[in-house]
Amino acid sequence: MASEFDLIARYFTRAAPDGLLGVGDDCALFPVPAGEQVATSTDLLLEGRHFFPDVDPKALGHKALAVNLSDLAAMGARPIGCVLGLALPRLDEPWLAAFAEGFHALAAAHGCPLIGGDTTRSAHDLAISVTVFGAVPAGQALRRDGAQAGDDVWVSGDLGAADVAYRLLDGQYPANAPLLAATRAALEWPQPQVALGLALRGIANAAIDLSDGLLQDLGHILAASRAGARLQFADLPAAPALAGLDAAPLRRALLGGGDVYQLCFTAPAARRDAVVSAAAAAGARVTRVGEILPQAGLSVLDAQGRPLADLPAGFDHFPAA
Ligand SMILES: [Mg+2]
């Protein structure tokens, strides 16, 4: 008789593509093309902390992989494969089937097969750990430490919808069914910008994916690059669903809202046409939102050119150099 973990394995075992040894041996094996480096990243998602217990399991399977693919995108790395660790408090077969469906669909869309993993029983909450592997030509990865004074600051896609959806679901904002309907997909079905990351190799000087909010994530680029930046608030690409929002929640969503999984990157002003062409080729939308400055500090200017006061909490000002 099949044990429950045989059953779990059935949902996650897929034939590995040619050249890879996937699930079923002690280790997975994958080749690394000559002249390339392996890029790897891992994320741990905990029930109640990173996702609501009642989230659609198919969306959760998608997002568990999406947040990791987004890290590969931020480095300009091409996905090779991934491994999955699951700690499950109970065996719920329909839940597992839906989770696996969401996970495998995104894996297939990005050529990132599941090549290994482990499952165990958890006493209480659900925990999901995904590790991705990618490849990037040696020396060509997009890093956080390459921003140069005079670079433009760009963001892909639009901002703020995931933050609003999160606060609605968490009860921080009064119930608003139309607004939730218009923002929820951004929170639960983020689309990692892998093609854009690849297209920006050789063009962008620095990049990061937006997981913790624009100010905080751009702050990581600035700290690593020992530089500052000035953003124009009016140029930030707000998600269309945010059109009716008051000033304070709008500011919070655009500058501090996490779970965006778009890219923030810097590129020389002389490469604007190359950035736009690369984005178009990748099917991505990009918006120029500010510039990199030689001196430390991050300011956001309003339409009159005045710095915004009281930037959203959560933003960690630069550590002393
Ligand atoms: Mg990241």
Side-chain angles (χ1 to χ4, degrees), residues 10-296:
R10 190 192 306 159
Y11 285 106
F12 294 104
T13 305
R14 294 283 191 279
D18 286 349
L20 275 74
L21 181 62
V23 176
D25 212 315
D26 293 293
C27 289
L29 297 172
F30 56 81
V32 181
E36 299 204 323
Q37 293 172 304
V38 172
T40 185
S41 178
T42 192
D43 263 292
L44 184 61
L45 301 179
L46 297 181
E47 177 177 345
R49 180 168 173 84
H50 300 103
F51 57 91
F52 294 106
D54 61 348
V55 68
D56 171 6
K58 189 174 166 186
L60 185 60
H62 169 97
K63 187 166 178 177
L65 180 56
V67 302
N68 283 275
L69 287 171
S70 183
D71 282 326
L72 292 184
M75 299 294 288
R78 170 176 47 82
I80 293 175
C82 59
V83 298
L84 168 67
L86 274 179
L88 298 167
R90 74 200 82 83
L91 186 69
D92 176 342
E93 198 172 344
W95 188 97
L96 265 183
F99 179 91
E101 186 185 349
F103 190 98
H104 287 303
L106 188 68
H110 287 279
C112 189
L114 183 66
I115 56 175
D118 194 18
T119 53
T120 187
R121 184 178 280 280
S122 132
H124 297 290
D125 294 337
L126 176 64
I128 305 162
S129 168
V130 178
T131 301
V132 284
F133 302 96
V136 61
Q140 291 186 33
L142 305 175
R143 296 165 43 150
R144 298 178 179 183
D145 60 1
Q148 303 287 323
D151 277 3
D152 295 321
V153 179
W154 298 80
V155 296
S156 67
D158 55 40
L159 302 172
D163 180 74
V164 171
Y166 173 80
R167 291 175 196 275
L168 286 166
L169 289 168
D170 197 44
Q172 296 178 35
Y173 291 162
N176 183 330
L179 185 58
L180 180 59
T183 54
R184 191 169 190 161
L187 178 67
E188 295 185 345
W189 295 89
Q191 300 299 324
Q193 298 299 305
V194 175
L196 178 61
L198 295 175
L200 289 172
R201 287 201 311 231
I203 299 172
N205 280 336
I208 194 168
D209 68 315
L210 295 175
S211 54
D212 298 329
L214 177 61
L215 293 187
Q216 190 162 325
D217 290 318
L218 176 58
H220 293 315
I221 287 182
L222 300 180
S225 300
R226 299 181 176 277
R230 182 164 52 210
L231 303 182
Q232 307 292 333
F233 186 77
D235 290 343
L236 297 178
L242 276 51
L245 226 54
D246 289 340
L250 180 66
R251 185 183 294 193
R252 190 182 306 136
L254 298 187
L255 296 173
D259 273 312
V260 179
Y261 301 109
Q262 294 288 338
L263 299 185
C264 174
F265 58 96
T266 83
R271 306 295 312 270
R272 280 176 195 169
D273 289 347
V275 168
V276 170
S277 299
R285 198 156 38 79
V286 293
T287 306
R288 190 156 48 85
V289 299
E291 63 189 315
I292 297 293
L293 305 174
Q295 68 279 13

